[in-house]
Amino acid sequence: MHVVVNAAMSADGKLSSRRREQIAISGDADFDRVDRLRADSDAVVVGVGTVLADDPHLTVKDENLRDERRTNGKPANPARVVVDSSARTPSSAEVLDDDATTYVCVSDAAPVEQRAALAEHADLITAGEERVDLLRAFAALQEQGIERVMVEGGGELIFSLFEAGLVDDLSVFVGPKVIGGRDAPTLADGDGFVENFPELELGEVERLDGGVLLTWHV
Amino acid sequence: MHVVVNAAMSADGKLSSRRREQIAISGDADFDRVDRLRADSDAVVVGVGTVLADDPHLTVKDENLRDERRTNGKPANPARVVVDSSARTPSSAEVLDDDATTYVCVSDAAPVEQRAALAEHADLITAGEERVDLLRAFAALQEQGIERVMVEGGGELIFSLFEAGLVDDLSVFVGPKVIGGRDAPTLADGDGFVENFPELELGEVERLDGGVLLTWHV
Ligand SMILES: NC(=O)c1ccc[n+]([C@@H]2O[C@H](COP(=O)([O-])OP(=O)(O)OC[C@H]3O[C@@H](n4cnc5c(N)ncnc54)[C@H](OP(=O)(O)O)[C@@H]3O)[C@@H](O)[C@H]2O)c1
Ligand SMILES: NC(=O)c1ccc[n+]([C@@H]2O[C@H](COP(=O)([O-])OP(=O)(O)OC[C@H]3O[C@@H](n4cnc5c(N)ncnc54)[C@H](OP(=O)(O)O)[C@@H]3O)[C@@H](O)[C@H]2O)c1
């Protein structure tokens, strides 16, 4: 399995403002790049925080890319995965529509009724007692044939993936804005490391949309 | 007056871990660059949070650079400035030694005894009622002949400087580490913007010490 984390952050490392509203950090060139990355993936993963804040659809936007996937014998869109310990994903969420297969990873603690409601729209993966155990959840995804994984955020999930040692590559678009805020979501939130910080190796550095795309390898 | 903010952040936008201990984010090449930037400045500014966390000396480390300054009729080191509403800078702080002129910017709310203690080691500038009024404090510095200002952090002060419209340039070394942590200091903390985000223009992009130095213009 190969896991790439992709996100857009402000020049000061924020994914959004303290209001957690979606903010346009990148532009058309980065949008096209992200769409191609999705099309090249078997699954696109987000945390439930991102579903609740942004209600993303997580499908490939460019019809040519979808056609290309079909020509290669794949479904038009990669699978979508929500990491959601308590099954809080609303039934009306865009990720639950019929445009792609959706997996919701829940924990043992998820209430049965909410699991049942979600099971009508998605395949459930249960891993972890109180919180989703990412190693087990990703192993279950791999059993479903998912090898190329793209993670689209948010910062809580990204931190946990680094903590679990699951990240192979990190692509970050650094945009020409200052967002600020000690409570604004950053690229990697969670409890944070205090020692043994994951070390990265810098790959490509590319100017794009007035900012810069940094590719790091773990 | 020309204000450049300089800082080193992890790949995820942190200046330090949640423990607020100093973390080596950059390396020798960036260290030399920062030393040259200091030598080219009339004053180096930090918030009291940085003084309390790191106890920096804020002098020019390279003797050749200090000699160069003297040759040009300047003091060996630029002035040091601490932004410190309540005069919390300890008398033992490195920035208060005799190696350079030091200004401490306080507010009207700073206790008189603490002001008196600080006044033995530093020139006090009083601006603002509860918190230092940065526009007034920087105007007072300009009256002292300070034109080229370098700000070395931390994130609370940097946010306020953007809010006050005082920043001209932002140099950020983005280092090859993930620090993480929703409570770790970031490049711009404070309350954060929710609209009218300051827009930046990307200048130089340079690989350095395994990371990348980004220069932004406001
Ligand atoms: N700029 C960008 O590229 C970008 C991309 C995505 C999101 N965003 C922004 O990021 C914000 C949302 O990010 P977020 O950090 O709040 O949420 P998130 O990372 O999307 O989701 C975090 C949630 O996932 C659940 N979770 C389950 N197991 C977990 C585990 N092992 N580790 C971590 N989380 C686990 C937790 O909720 P439960 O405990 O309930 O399961 C947790 O609160 C929004 O403001 C959004 O706009 C920006
Ligand atoms: N990596 C780097 O390049 C770098 C550089 C510097 C610092 N750091 C790290 O950053 C952390 C310290 O940063 P910080 O953000 O906590 O502190 P800071 O920005 O250095 O200082 C903030 C303090 O300045 C005072 N202040 C007075 N007037 C202000 C105003 N108008 N706006 C904002 N602040 C004002 C406030 O305290 P009062 O209300 O008491 O005055 C405030 O708490 C440490 O962990 C340090 O290691 C890293």
Side-chain angles (χ1 to χ4, degrees), chain B:
Chain B
M1 192 178 239
H2 183 266
V3 178
V4 45
V5 169
N6 182 80
M9 71 181 195
S10 56
D12 59 312
K14 308 298 184 302
L15 298 188
S16 170
S17 77
R18 66 161 194 264
R19 286 193 190 153
R20 300 191 167 250
E21 292 158 350
Q22 213 167 349
I23 290 169
I25 294 171
S26 62
D28 289 343
D30 192 57
F31 186 94
D32 290 347
R33 180 190 65 81
V34 171
D35 207 37
R36 155 128 334 255
L37 194 53
R38 274 189 194 162
D40 288 342
S41 304
D42 299 323
V44 177
V45 184
V46 293
V48 66
T50 296
V51 170
L52 295 172
D54 302 346
D55 194 17
H57 196 211
L58 299 181
T59 50
V60 175
K61 299 298 174 280
D62 181 344
E63 201 176 322
N64 296 323
L65 290 174
R66 292 201 303 272
D67 285 346
E68 222 177 81
R69 286 183 54 99
R70 283 197 205 89
T71 308
N72 293 327
K74 297 178 184 170
N77 290 299
R80 299 171 294 195
V81 181
V82 183
V83 178
D84 179 13
S85 315
S86 337
R88 290 189 290 152
T89 300
S91 299
S92 61
E94 294 276 343
V95 288
L96 295 180
D97 74 6
D98 292 333
D99 290 352
T101 302
T102 303
Y103 297 93
V104 179
C105 306
V106 301
S107 74
D108 294 339
V112 177
E113 317 87 80
Q114 279 168 251
R115 287 197 223 194
L118 277 182
E120 289 182 25
H121 308 279
D123 295 338
L124 298 194
I125 291 175
T126 308
E129 291 183 21
E130 291 292 324
R131 220 181 181 199
V132 174
D133 178 331
L134 295 171
L135 283 171
R136 283 176 50 208
F138 275 50
L141 291 170
Q142 195 164 26
E143 275 169 29
Q144 301 297 316
I146 291 170
E147 286 297 337
R148 297 170 65 96
V149 175
M150 175 185 184
V151 177
E152 297 210 31
E156 291 291 330
L157 177 63
I158 292 172
F159 174 75
S160 292
L161 289 169
F162 274 104
E163 202 178 25
L166 279 165
V167 183
D168 295 298
D169 294 325
L170 171 63
S171 314
V172 192
F173 174 77
V174 186
K177 259 191 184 70
V178 175
I179 293 179
R182 58 182 94 74
D183 296 328
T186 76
L187 179 62
D189 287 328
D191 291 339
F193 298 104
V194 291
E195 55 186 10
N196 303 324
F197 304 99
E199 299 281 343
L200 308 174
E201 198 187 309
L202 185 58
E204 264 188 84
V205 174
E206 193 192 341
R207 280 172 187 267
L208 209 70
D209 288 336
V212 61
L213 174 68
L214 304 179
T215 306
W216 303 96
H217 308 292
V218 183

Side-chain angles (χ1 to χ4, degrees), chain A residues 1-30:
Chain A
M1 193 178 236
H2 184 266
V3 177
V4 45
V5 168
N6 182 81
M9 70 182 196
S10 57
D12 59 312
K14 308 300 184 300
L15 299 188
S16 170
S17 77
R18 67 163 195 265
R19 285 193 190 154
R20 300 192 167 247
E21 292 159 349
Q22 212 167 352
I23 290 168
I25 293 171
S26 61
D28 289 342
D30 192 58

Side-chain angles (χ1 to χ4, degrees), chain A residues 1-4 142 146-150 166 168-169 217:
Chain A
M1 193 178 236
H2 184 266
V3 177
V4 45
Q142 196 166 23
I146 291 172
E147 287 296 336
R148 298 171 63 97
V149 174
M150 174 186 185
L166 279 165
D168 297 297
D169 295 325
H217 308 291

